[in-house]
Amino acid sequence: MVRSPAQPEGRTRTDKARRTLSIFGATGSIGVSTADVVLQHRDSFDVEVVTAQRRAEELAETAIRLGAKHAVIGDPDRLEVLRARLAGTGIGVAAGPAAIVEAASRPVDLAVAAIVGAAGLEPTLAAIDAGADIALANKECMVCAGGLFNRRAAAASVRVLPVDSEHDAIFQSLEANNLHAVERITITASGGPFRTATLDEMRRATPAEALKHPRWAMGPKISIDSATMMNKGLELIEAHHLFDIESARLDVLVHPQSIVHGFVTYSDGSVVAQLGVADMRIPISHCLNWPRRVETATPRLDLATVGMLSFEKPDLQRFPALRVARTALENGDWATNILNAANEVAVQAFLDGAIGYLEIAATVEAVLDVATGTVGGTELDTLEAVLALDREGRRLAAERIDSRGRRAG
Ligand code: NAD
Ligand code: MG
């Protein structure tokens, strides 16, 4: 038996013709696509809150275009810019991480979680506690606190609708009446910019090369995660929590064309998949409008033009991050929490030029090795425990990067 995002059944909130909505991370890649989807069906949504970290100008513009009631900026130094841009509009402004969490407590039908990294955890939990269904793009908050996240969602009986394209494909492929007949769930991976690269080429890879994703235009963090395939590892962990399925029944398949986003294998031998062009407005629209389907302004899939779909097994030698993430998933929440924290630090260090591309996965693996002996098995029952372990993962990663830098220098 697996779980479907359509559960719990019998709730009507998401069936309302007009929905109230908040967007956390409104200036990012997902946030901008979300605004697009909302604007195409302007009469279906009332936007309560939009947030961003630093881009006050873009946030103000988004708030005005969407007719939001409140705009909140994470960085307090950007508040004056936001205030000036929104003067006379009647849109409320606030700043700071606590203000974002407070804004997440405002009751809405649906909260779009599109902040990047573990920074999105507290606002998302606050939105859950306030009774909002969650359209989840921010996979890191599942990876660092999956158990806690699910317990809080169940306690508030809110739905978690997956925006991540692979998980939305699984959501679409799950037949509500046949959840007991699911044998396996498969998520696909484009393989990223280094799908065919040699280890030697990877050793020399620059941030600019790693950021150049062949199929999707995304924020920098997830783009680097795609290059290392850590993104697929995070998505395995996300799938485990979203669909309540164990690692042994979860597969990753490399599919360079990014047309088939995921599929479910049923016990009668049927395979049900979701296909579409690589455009995040499709899964976003599915989550925002579910259980209805509405028109999107995305190109239509033309399979004759695509011509060929190909599939291959991921290469765990060249993409060790996938193996490391799978092991963390099997070791439990403490391990995925450390995995995520170390990865966030290592990705930033790579983008800053402090470590090489191959050092990203190596750092995460080394941190997990150390952490197994010190914090292995830590229970993550509370937000405080989650945040404390996250800090420890970041500390261990920074320490390792620092000591290697000193040795190299
Ligand atoms: P992005 O970097 O483009 O945008 C991130 C957003 O979060 C911005 O609005 C930024 O202002 C905000 N933000 C950053 N740090 C913050 C902080 N500390 N506190 C509060 N807000 C902060 O990222 P993105 O590509 O839009 O990805 C967002 C999330 O969605 C990530 O978790 C990513 O893994 C996931 N996701 C993205 C895509 C995609 O196509 N971009 C696809 C699937 C899942
Ligand atoms: Mg994805």
Side-chain angles (χ1 to χ4, degrees):
M1 191 77 169
V2 301
R3 184 175 53 233
S4 160
Q7 297 165 323
E9 312 257 335
R11 290 178 57 251
T12 51
R13 187 163 48 204
T14 38
D15 302 347
K16 285 196 330 197
R18 201 178 167 96
R19 293 173 184 172
T20 52
L21 192 77
S22 288
I23 308 172
F24 298 88
T27 54
S29 161
I30 292 288
V32 168
S33 293
T34 301
D36 231 54
V37 168
V38 169
L39 286 171
Q40 201 184 342
H41 296 279
R42 196 68 207 82
D43 295 339
S44 301
F45 302 100
D46 288 310
V47 178
E48 180 76 19
V49 175
V50 288
T51 80
Q53 182 59 13
R54 285 197 51 79
R55 297 187 181 164
E57 293 88 348
E58 280 105 315
L59 180 64
E61 198 187 304
T62 304
I64 292 167
R65 280 171 63 222
L66 295 178
K69 295 201 183 75
H70 304 274
V72 185
I73 191 90
D75 182 350
D77 290 345
R78 307 290 292 151
L79 177 62
E80 281 322 307
V81 177
L82 183 66
R83 199 192 298 283
R85 296 275 172 136
L86 290 178
T89 61
I91 300 171
V93 297
I100 294 182
V101 175
E102 204 179 297
S105 309
R106 292 178 177 274
V108 285
D109 296 317
L110 192 66
V112 180
I115 290 176
V116 59
L121 178 63
E122 281 192 73
T124 308
L125 289 179
I128 288 174
D129 291 350
D133 284 340
I134 306 296
L136 184 75
N138 178 206
K139 65 194 85 181
E140 292 93 343
C141 70
M142 265 288 183
V143 174
C144 80
L148 179 75
F149 191 103
N150 274 336
R151 285 192 296 277
R152 294 276 276 266
S157 56
V158 302
R159 289 195 176 98
V160 182
L161 306 172
V163 166
D164 212 347
S165 55
E166 298 77 4
H167 305 74
D168 183 64
I170 301 301
F171 177 20
Q172 297 197 36
S173 303
L174 282 174
E175 303 160 8
N177 299 330
N178 285 305
L179 297 173
H180 64 280
V182 172
E183 267 183 7
R184 308 190 70 76
I185 283 178
T186 305
I187 58 175
T188 60
S190 70
F194 303 139
R195 181 174 66 88
T196 59
T198 63
L199 272 174
D200 223 43
E201 287 164 340
M202 288 184 182
R203 190 166 294 116
R204 295 190 303 266
T206 63
E209 287 163 350
L211 284 167
K212 219 179 283 159
H213 197 275
R215 297 282 166 204
W216 302 91
M218 310 182 286
K221 196 296 183 149
I222 184 175
S223 296
I224 301 302
D225 284 345
S226 299
T228 60
M229 288 193 75
M230 179 60 88
N231 183 48
K232 225 34 67 173
L234 302 180
E235 290 184 356
L236 280 177
I237 298 161
E238 183 185 18
H240 161 75
H241 290 297
L242 282 170
F243 305 117
D244 194 18
I245 185 169
E246 68 276 17
S247 171
R249 293 199 292 151
L250 274 171
D251 297 318
V252 170
L253 195 58
V254 174
H255 166 46
Q257 297 82 18
S258 298
I259 298 291
V260 179
H261 301 295
F263 54 85
V264 175
T265 305
Y266 288 94
S267 56
D268 64 356
S270 291
V271 175
V272 180
Q274 185 259 358
L275 284 70
V277 296
D279 188 320
M280 286 307 293
R281 289 175 297 179
I282 297 174
I284 291 170
S285 172
H286 182 247
C287 288
L288 259 53
N289 294 292
W290 183 85
R292 290 171 290 157
R293 285 184 190 274
V294 305
E295 196 188 332
T296 67
T298 56
R300 297 298 179 257
L301 176 60
D302 176 357
L303 281 172
T305 303
V306 176
M308 195 191 68
L309 301 178
S310 63
F311 302 91
E312 64 205 36
K313 283 216 160 91
D315 179 347
L316 299 182
Q317 300 299 314
R318 286 183 307 126
F319 296 99
L322 192 49
R323 169 179 54 73
V324 173
R326 169 89 74 179
T327 304
L329 164 59
E330 289 164 0
N331 285 335
D333 281 11
W334 72 268
T336 61
N337 176 297
I338 294 284
L339 172 95
N340 179 68
N343 183 56
E344 286 195 35
V345 171
V347 167
Q348 193 56 51
F350 171 67
L351 286 171
D352 294 343
I355 60 173
Y357 164 86
L358 290 179
E359 280 294 305
I360 301 174
T363 300
V364 175
E365 186 163 29
V367 166
L368 272 162
D369 275 350
V370 174
T372 303
T374 54
V375 293
T378 302
E379 294 287 336
L380 299 182
D381 292 336
T382 61
L383 175 61
E384 290 66 36
V386 166
L387 298 178
L389 195 62
D390 175 78
R391 279 194 299 275
E392 177 62 5
R394 286 169 201 271
R395 189 188 68 77
L396 288 170
E399 192 175 83
R400 182 175 191 276
I401 289 166
D402 226 42
S403 73
R404 291 182 78 81
R406 267 203 305 278
R407 237 177 299 153

